[in-house]
Amino acid sequence: MIIASVVWSIVSGIIAKKKAEAKKLAAKQSGASPQIDPSLQFEEPSPAQIRIESLRRKKKKTVTVDPDPVVQKPRKRKLEPIKSLHTKGCPLPPVEIPKRHTKSHARQIATLLSNRRNLRTAIVLSEILSKPVSQRN
C-alpha cells in the first residue's frame, strides 16, 4: 500500500510538470504574456522592515579632505610610573610582586627536545600532524 502511494505521488508530480510545460509552450507560441496566478498572495513588509532596508541602501556620506592639511606631529609624553596605593600610615608592608622572567620559545623547545623520550614524542607528533606521505613534495 505504501509503495503504491509513493509511486502515485511520483507519477502525479511528473504529470503536473508535463502539464505546466505544455501550458508554457502554448503561451510562448501564441505570443501572449504569462498571466499571474491570482491565488498567490503577496505579503506587505512591515514598516520596520522597510526602514531597515532603506538604511542598508543609504549611501554613506563622503568626507572631503583639504589638499594641504596642517599635520601636527603627535607629542611624545613620558609615562608616569604607577603610584602605589599603599599609605605610609598603614601597619602592613606593601606587597611587591616579583617580575617573572619567561624563557624564549626557542629555549623552551630546546629544553624539551634535550630528553630522548620528548624527542621521540615530538617526532611521532610531527608524523601524525603533517601531510600524508603520498601528498608530500
Side-chain angles (χ1 to χ4, degrees):
M1 188 66 145
I2 295 172
I3 295 173
S5 65
V6 170
V7 170
W8 175 249
S9 64
I10 293 172
V11 170
S12 64
I14 293 171
I15 292 171
K17 284 183 183 179
K18 296 261 183 187
K19 284 183 181 180
E21 286 177 10
K23 203 180 234 184
K24 285 182 183 178
L25 185 60
K28 281 185 180 179
Q29 288 177 352
S30 67
S33 63
Q35 295 181 357
I36 298 174
D37 188 9
S39 65
L40 293 177
Q41 297 284 333
F42 293 104
E43 293 181 23
E44 289 191 28
S46 67
Q49 198 68 20
I50 293 171
R51 179 73 177 146
I52 291 170
E53 287 300 319
S54 68
L55 289 174
R56 284 184 183 155
R57 293 183 184 135
K58 190 176 184 179
K59 292 182 181 178
K60 292 182 180 178
K61 293 182 181 179
T62 58
V63 177
T64 57
V65 179
D66 295 334
D68 280 334
V70 177
V71 179
Q72 295 180 354
K73 292 182 181 178
R75 296 180 187 170
K76 290 185 180 179
R77 294 187 298 174
K78 281 189 174 182
L79 295 177
E80 297 177 10
I82 298 174
K83 295 179 182 175
S84 175
L85 297 176
H86 180 74
T87 59
K88 291 183 180 179
C90 181
L92 296 173
V95 177
E96 291 187 19
I97 301 172
K99 293 183 181 178
R100 287 199 278 172
H101 297 285
T102 58
K103 294 181 180 178
S104 67
H105 297 297
R107 180 68 67 194
Q108 289 175 350
I109 292 173
T111 305
L112 281 174
L113 297 180
S114 63
N115 185 350
R116 287 189 116 194
R117 177 182 244 172
N118 292 340
L119 181 64
R120 190 177 304 127
T121 306
I123 292 171
V124 170
L125 283 175
S126 171
E127 288 294 321
I128 292 171
L129 298 175
S130 64
K131 287 184 179 179
V133 177
S134 62
Q135 294 181 354
R136 293 182 192 165
N137 289 335

